[in-house]
Amino acid sequence: MKKNSTLYLLFLLWVFSAVAQNPKQRSIDYYAWNYPIIQGAANKIAFSIDEKPLTISAAEIHGNGDKLVFLKSTEGRITVSSNLVTFLDLWSYQTTRIDQADIKVILTPEPSVFEISAYKEKKGSKEEERYEGQLKLHSGIKIEITDAQGRLLHEKKLEDYNTLHSIHAFENSAITSEKKALELTKAHFMENAEKYMAGANGSVSGPLHYKLVEYLQDVIDLRRKKKSLYVYTFKKKKGFDLSGIQASIEDLKSLSDVALGTNYQKEIEALLLPKIDFWREEISKYDSHDKKQVKVVWGLLANISGAYHALGEDEKALEVYQEIEKLDYRGSYKYLKQLPEEQMAKRKAFFGTDTPKPLDEVGFQGTHNPSYVHYKNYSGGLLGANRLEVSQSILDTRKKRAYLLGKILGHYQYLEELKRLGRKFNERGNADVGFEETDAYYVEVFNRAAKESEEIKFLDLSVLDEDEKIIASKISQDLIDFYTIYNKEVSLNKESQDDWEEMQKILDKLLVVLHQWQGDEKEDKRALYKNIDLLSDKMLLINNETIRSLPLLETLLEELSSEDKVSYEANPKLFKQLFKKYQKTYVSLFVADTSIGQYLHHSALQFLNKELKVYYELYRADEEEIGAKHKNLHDDRRVANILSIFVK
């Protein structure tokens, strides 16, 4: 018995020794050419997304295949974000308008179904059946690819099953029947039905979006995509110096760090070709007929074949594979033949020849504009969809009109805000504002704001209709008249700043001028305010207080972030009051129920993302650090871009 045990141990040691010398596979990422199945006659592509109402339902799926629908909504809205083109980042196509494209990709979301099902678990004894209830969202999207004339080139339906909830037990006991598992899962769904149904609306799920990007890249884009190069190394072996081979594999880690760009092929050649030469030289040191050494020869040849494949030299990779076949060693090597043959077949199908043409390592990547994505059947009344399908001259005119309206509203609203603070200024003991009766800084800020409003008289009114010009002229003249009187009555100098009685007189004059300009606030509405509202009504598709406050947000941003405007150091409490107003205005515009997002198509919000990000970052800023970290953020074009979506 002892002898048998000894022999068995020796056998295990021999097996372990033999296995230990097998080549150890490692994978290293690189980018290989993807040869798509679709070729366009030219390089312009467009994307169209259908947002027609869809059915969103919930159903029980029984083990016998029966499907029982118990809840249905026919008003579902599922879409794809215009940012799809950014994720795709096509190399071989330039994204353009739908009416200018050579290739059109039409995406239609499919009806979604919440599927409630039960699965028999493998846990437990053979006598006890245990079930798990599952809630999954089944979603899909239909892809149609056509040419410019609408001829179908390719179609495909992608699907995704996303597990949202699972139930394994009830009252601390296993679920022992399919019926009970279905009942419990359905009860959970019904308790949260509103949340689940709402979640099924909006953009397609993340997993389905990922599948969509991957599939479209494979089908339509001539580009490099990430692949794995499999290489082999060996453990130390007495009598053999394998350190050079090990070091050569370690050096190849840098292959995955080579960035895509015009020199990608040259850079990977600089890494791989010297390794191929080195591995060839190493092969000569080993006897391919020796049972131990043949493994090293096999691993080195596999490395050479894989490296040629990574370089795109698949013919050479197959030549090396023929050498591998002659070895008396049966490692797992079929992929060394399959991968090059598959790539050669795809290349030939794409080019129509065995000889590939020179390929562009960059193409159109990084140039795609999400605003070109075309939407159809979207909810009526939403603004900003398909904006680039409008002529450039119309877009330019809208921006000019938005710029003009923004200037008028911005100056008027900021003076209104300073006037509001002026009331607090005159309320003695108001700790929130903290103005002192002798504080000259408020007057200095008001003087500058009033003077800057003079630019209104230089605005180009030619982009307005005749009736709009009349109203805009009245508003402009009103503001100009105010400044003329104000400038004459209220002046500030070094002596008055240091003289309490003199400052008191200046403040009194300021309030008198404001009262004369704005009239009695107990009246129905001041003429100036009426004209502001009337002009906005004529120029805007949607006119309300929130939308009209957008220019004020930009003006406050300018005042707070500009180095030559309101200073935190000069008067922290005035700065805080203006920042507080900025934050309230931001919330009203972009967060609260009054948000302008309710009027905009999601593609318009995507288009405005850059502009909105600037406003958000200042909104979240620490007021004491604005001057240091958020300097000079003002840009007139920002307001014009946003407001132009609302301008007639």
Side-chain angles (χ1 to χ4, degrees):
M1 182 71 179
K2 185 176 180 181
K3 182 178 179 181
N4 289 339
S5 298
T6 303
L7 289 172
Y8 181 68
L9 288 172
L10 288 172
F11 173 75
L12 287 177
L13 289 171
W14 177 82
V15 169
F16 177 78
S17 174
V19 172
Q21 301 312 311
N22 287 339
K24 307 300 178 184
Q25 189 185 76
R26 294 177 61 177
S27 66
I28 302 171
D29 291 336
Y30 74 101
Y31 291 91
W33 282 105
N34 170 68
Y35 298 106
I37 63 174
I38 292 176
Q39 295 186 60
N43 55 23
K44 290 186 177 182
I45 194 168
F47 296 84
S48 176
I49 297 168
D50 194 338
E51 292 188 336
K52 65 184 178 184
L54 295 173
T55 298
I56 299 177
S57 59
E60 291 182 21
I61 309 297
H62 292 266
N64 60 7
D66 289 347
K67 180 177 180 180
L68 177 61
V69 176
F70 62 86
L71 187 66
K72 182 183 289 187
S73 167
T74 58
E75 295 300 318
R77 292 279 182 178
I78 304 171
T79 187
V80 179
S81 168
S82 59
N83 214 27
L84 171 70
V85 299
T86 305
F87 283 101
L88 283 172
D89 200 18
L90 301 177
W91 288 24
S92 52
Y93 288 98
Q94 177 184 11
T95 306
T96 188
R97 286 168 39 165
I98 192 76
D99 58 340
Q100 298 175 348
D102 308 295
I103 295 290
K104 300 177 183 180
V105 180
I106 302 161
L107 304 175
T108 307
E110 297 277 289
S112 294
V113 182
F114 290 98
E115 296 187 354
I116 293 171
S117 53
Y119 296 89
K120 188 181 292 186
E121 294 185 316
K122 295 181 180 179
K123 302 175 184 177
S125 63
K126 293 182 180 179
E127 293 78 21
E128 181 186 47
E129 290 188 339
R130 303 176 66 178
Y131 288 84
E132 173 190 353
Q134 287 192 353
L135 170 64
K136 295 182 178 181
L137 177 61
H138 177 203
S139 57
I141 190 164
K142 181 181 179 182
I143 303 169
E144 295 174 285
I145 302 176
T146 73
D147 61 15
Q149 288 72 43
R151 291 186 291 261
L152 186 65
L153 304 176
H154 181 80
E155 64 179 338
K156 175 76 174 180
K157 284 187 180 181
L158 298 181
E159 294 182 286
D160 180 67
Y161 287 87
N162 185 19
T163 301
L164 304 175
H165 187 73
S166 60
I167 298 176
H168 301 270
F170 176 65
E171 295 181 346
N172 297 321
S173 299
I175 303 172
T176 57
S177 71
E178 177 192 43
K179 181 180 178 182
K180 190 63 175 178
L182 291 172
E183 286 177 356
L184 291 170
T185 311
K186 181 179 179 180
H188 164 80
F189 175 81
M190 294 306 295
E191 288 174 5
N192 302 276
E194 186 176 348
K195 180 187 74 172
Y196 279 127
M197 295 294 279
N201 283 287
S203 294
V204 295
S205 67
L208 185 57
H209 187 273
Y210 177 80
K211 287 181 182 179
L212 178 62
V213 170
E214 288 290 304
Y215 186 79
L216 288 177
Q217 285 179 342
D218 286 343
V219 169
I220 63 178
D221 200 22
L222 178 63
R223 64 181 298 130
R224 287 190 183 269
K225 295 199 73 176
K226 186 176 287 187
K227 301 288 183 180
S228 292
L229 165 62
Y230 297 102
V231 290
Y232 296 86
T233 187
F234 310 87
K235 288 187 176 181
K236 292 181 180 179
K237 170 68 177 173
K238 187 175 180 180
F240 297 96
D241 181 11
L242 302 172
S243 61
I245 298 174
Q246 291 171 328
S248 70
I249 301 302
E250 289 298 315
D251 286 345
L252 279 183
K253 286 182 179 179
S254 59
L255 180 64
S256 60
D257 297 327
V258 178
L260 290 170
T262 54
N263 296 318
Y264 184 80
Q265 183 68 23
K266 292 180 180 178
E267 290 185 37
I268 64 171
E269 286 176 356
L271 278 171
L272 290 173
L273 290 177
K275 297 295 184 293
I276 290 173
D277 293 339
F278 170 75
W279 293 329
R280 271 294 177 192
E281 187 178 336
E282 287 294 298
I283 287 174
S284 65
K285 299 177 183 180
Y286 298 91
D287 183 359
S288 62
H289 299 290
D290 181 89
K291 288 186 178 181
K292 294 182 179 179
Q293 297 182 49
V294 70
K295 298 176 183 180
V296 179
V297 175
W298 182 92
L300 291 170
L301 285 173
N303 288 351
I304 293 172
S305 178
Y308 276 130
H309 174 60
L311 290 170
E313 299 185 35
D314 294 298
E315 292 81 2
K316 290 185 179 180
L318 291 176
E319 289 175 7
V320 177
Y321 171 78
Q322 292 176 356
E323 295 182 58
I324 294 173
E325 277 195 312
K326 295 175 183 178
L327 297 177
D328 186 18
Y329 177 68
R330 294 296 140 198
S332 177
Y333 63 90
K334 292 297 182 182
Y335 76 92
L336 293 169
K337 179 184 180 185
Q338 291 170 350
L339 293 180
E341 286 182 341
E342 288 173 2
Q343 188 72 341
M344 289 170 65
K346 290 177 182 178
R347 186 180 67 196
K348 184 173 183 179
F350 183 80
F351 289 111
T353 175
D354 289 324
T355 306
K357 301 174 183 177
L359 300 175
D360 189 344
E361 292 280 5
V362 178
F364 295 102
Q365 89 183 100
T367 66
H368 303 281
N369 186 347
S371 294
Y372 280 123
V373 175
H374 172 79
Y375 288 90
K376 59 182 181 180
N377 297 320
Y378 55 88
S379 296
L382 293 180
L383 304 177
N386 307 328
R387 63 184 307 276
L388 291 191
E389 294 176 22
V390 179
S391 71
Q392 191 60 48
S393 62
I394 292 176
L395 289 176
D396 290 342
T397 299
R398 286 179 184 171
K399 284 184 180 180
K400 290 176 182 177
R401 286 168 60 81
Y403 174 85
L404 186 148
L405 182 60
K407 281 294 182 182
I408 292 175
L409 293 175
H411 283 297
Y412 169 75
Q413 291 164 342
Y414 187 49
L415 289 173
E416 280 277 281
E417 176 60 17
L418 289 177
K419 176 207 169 187
R420 185 185 70 83
L421 292 178
R423 290 200 198 94
K424 287 191 174 185
F425 180 103
N426 213 35
E427 294 171 5
R428 299 184 183 185
N430 189 322
D432 291 335
V433 181
F435 291 157
E436 306 224 352
E437 293 171 300
T438 56
D439 189 347
Y441 192 71
Y442 168 79
V443 180
E444 183 181 326
V445 170
F446 203 110
N447 284 357
R448 176 179 52 76
K451 181 172 177 57
E452 288 174 353
S453 68
E454 272 197 304
E455 73 168 316
I456 288 177
K457 67 183 178 182
F458 302 111
L459 293 176
D460 181 9
L461 302 184
S462 63
V463 293
L464 301 182
D465 296 335
E466 290 304 315
D467 55 344
E468 294 171 343
K469 288 179 184 177
I470 294 171
I471 301 169
S473 297
K474 288 179 180 178
I475 295 170
S476 300
Q477 193 59 51
D478 218 342
L479 289 170
I480 293 165
D481 289 345
F482 162 71
Y483 176 68
T484 302
I485 298 171
Y486 181 89
N487 190 45
K488 180 179 179 181
E489 297 292 333
V490 183
S491 60
L492 191 66
N493 54 51
K494 179 62 178 173
E495 290 73 22
S496 60
Q497 290 181 36
D498 298 330
D499 188 322
W500 184 90
E501 291 185 358
E502 189 64 27
M503 275 301 304
Q504 192 67 30
K505 293 177 182 178
I506 289 173
L507 293 172
D508 289 341
K509 286 182 178 180
L510 188 152
L511 293 172
V512 169
V513 173
L514 284 174
H515 181 77
Q516 291 174 344
W517 172 49
Q518 295 165 336
D520 185 354
E521 297 203 356
K522 292 182 181 179
E523 295 176 6
D524 182 26
K525 277 189 178 179
R526 302 188 307 273
L528 177 57
Y529 180 85
K530 286 183 178 180
N531 284 332
I532 289 284
D533 189 47
L534 184 57
L535 180 64
S536 300
D537 205 41
K538 287 184 173 294
M539 294 185 67
L540 296 174
L541 293 165
I542 300 170
N543 176 27
N544 59 42
E545 188 175 347
T546 300
I547 294 171
R548 291 198 305 271
S549 69
L550 179 63
L552 174 62
L553 188 76
E554 181 65 33
T555 302
L556 290 170
L557 176 139
E558 179 183 10
E559 290 288 309
L560 294 166
S561 70
S562 300
E563 294 177 280
D564 59 344
K565 302 284 184 178
V566 179
S567 167
Y568 181 85
E569 290 74 20
N571 192 320
K573 291 190 176 180
L574 174 59
F575 191 94
K576 288 179 180 180
Q577 286 293 310
L578 292 175
F579 184 54
K580 186 178 180 181
K581 180 64 176 179
Y582 175 87
Q583 290 181 311
K584 284 184 176 181
T585 306
Y586 176 89
V587 169
S588 175
L589 277 162
F590 306 120
V591 180
D593 292 339
T594 57
S595 165
I596 65 173
Q598 65 185 300
Y599 308 113
L600 299 176
H601 189 265
H602 60 85
S603 61
L605 289 170
Q606 179 66 42
F607 162 71
L608 297 173
N609 184 58
K610 183 178 179 181
E611 281 83 356
L612 301 187
K613 184 178 179 182
V614 176
Y615 290 137
Y616 174 76
E617 288 177 349
L618 188 66
Y619 166 74
R620 297 289 297 170
D622 185 330
E623 60 194 18
E624 297 180 10
E625 297 180 344
I626 289 176
K629 296 184 178 180
H630 303 272
K631 290 182 179 180
N632 303 319
L633 301 177
H634 173 60
D635 187 348
D636 281 328
R637 292 171 298 179
R638 185 161 43 238
V639 171
N641 280 341
I642 302 174
L643 203 57
S644 65
I645 296 177
F646 295 91
V647 164
K648 295 176 183 177

